[in-house]
Amino acid sequence: MLPPENSTFVTEFILAGITDDPQLQIPLFLVFALIYLLTLVGNLGVITLILLDSRLHTPMYLFLSHLSLMDFGYSTVVTPKVMAGFLVGDKVISYNACAAQLYFFAVFLIVETFLLASMAHDRHAAVCKPLHYTNIMTPRVCAWMVVGCYVFGFLEASVHTWNAFSLSFCRSNVIDHFFCDATPLLALSCSDSNRSEMVFFILAGFNIIFTIMVILVSYLFIFVTILRVRSSEGHQKAFSTCASHLTSISIFYGAGAFMYLQPGSRHSMDTDKMASVFYAVVIPMLNPLIYSLRNKEVKSALKKAVGKAKSSLRYIF
């Protein structure tokens, strides 16, 4: 994406980063490097386990594999550039690279939003209609649900990116953030950004409200079904089926609503930066832990994979 003619003099941006304190640069680099390493290992490990273990070839794990791919994606879009800023002070990002970072971050984030809603529908079918589950969540239906998530993500990210980069940037090129997010870009513009802010707020609000409604309705029916189950074992099984997903959506939507459902005048960039670190860097690391530590099937697949790896090493050596 090139700067619009006669509308902007900016060819590159400078990311202000999280802090300018020189004593914190190396410690923060090490912390972010560790988090990113855990994110890579966790999410790529979940995807690999699901691909290799036929017991995990079910709708729930199909959605989980794509969720892990999204977590890996938007963490990779943001974290390496932040680490470069800490280590070598490289905080310059070109106009096109900034647009690309915003676009792909938005794609991964929006797709994840709709994937979480799809997973809620899947849990509803599994708990409320177990006898018809395989007829409801057929491979064709699951494939179309995943495709729909990606279509929404790519289309809406295109609108967000065009909406931000159709503005003029002529006062300053310093983005008061550690990556190219929509909110600091709109604040940086020297043209009237009210229309762009409204479009952004409406789209972000639609994503969160629509998907939360799907999740709430799904879980309302799930809880009604659980209350009808008389055995404590049945209660425990139903809750364990949904616990990981509920934990994940609570963290994800809580942070998302805090970041994006505020009018621009109420935004504090320092507060947004801290929320963004949690949202863009920490959550992608947490999701594999949430879904694996509480999931017997994933732990069983991991033990099986580790056992095979040990056997192979013994054979080699």
Side-chain angles (χ1 to χ4, degrees), residues 293-305:
L293 292 178
R294 298 182 62 91
N295 192 304
K296 292 179 181 179
E297 291 170 320
V298 172
K299 287 191 284 188
S300 175
L302 179 60
K303 287 178 182 178
K304 183 180 176 181

Side-chain angles (χ1 to χ4, degrees), residues 46-125:
V46 167
I47 293 170
T48 303
L49 283 177
I50 292 170
L51 287 173
L52 295 179
D53 197 314
S54 59
R55 294 173 299 175
L56 302 182
H57 293 175
T58 63
M60 183 176 78
Y61 293 108
L62 169 69
F63 293 127
L64 180 56
S65 65
H66 285 278
L67 188 74
S68 294
L69 182 62
M70 295 304 102
D71 284 332
F72 164 73
Y74 74 78
S75 176
T76 299
V77 166
V78 172
T79 311
K81 182 63 179 175
V82 178
M83 291 165 57
F86 289 138
L87 189 62
V88 296
D90 180 15
K91 296 185 177 182
V92 176
I93 186 168
S94 71
Y95 185 95
N96 287 343
C98 186
Q101 188 180 54
L102 172 61
Y103 176 74
F104 284 107
F105 182 77
V107 166
F108 293 130
L109 204 61
I110 294 165
V111 172
E112 178 154 338
T113 304
F114 285 96
L115 280 172
L116 287 169
S118 300
M119 292 172 78
H121 174 69
D122 172 68
R123 293 300 82 206
H124 164 260

Side-chain angles (χ1 to χ4, degrees), residues 78 105 177-179 181 259-260 271-282:
V78 172
F105 182 77
H177 213 2
F178 59 89
F179 71 100
D181 198 10
M259 278 181 61
Y260 294 119
T271 304
D272 278 3
K273 285 180 188 180
M274 293 304 103
S276 296
V277 168
F278 185 74
Y279 199 67
V281 180
V282 178

Side-chain angles (χ1 to χ4, degrees), residues 163-185:
N163 192 44
F165 284 88
S166 63
L167 299 172
S168 300
F169 302 99
C170 49
R171 282 197 294 255
S172 172
N173 69 336
V174 179
I175 298 175
D176 190 12
H177 213 2
F178 59 89
F179 71 100
C180 292
D181 198 10
T183 303
L185 279 167

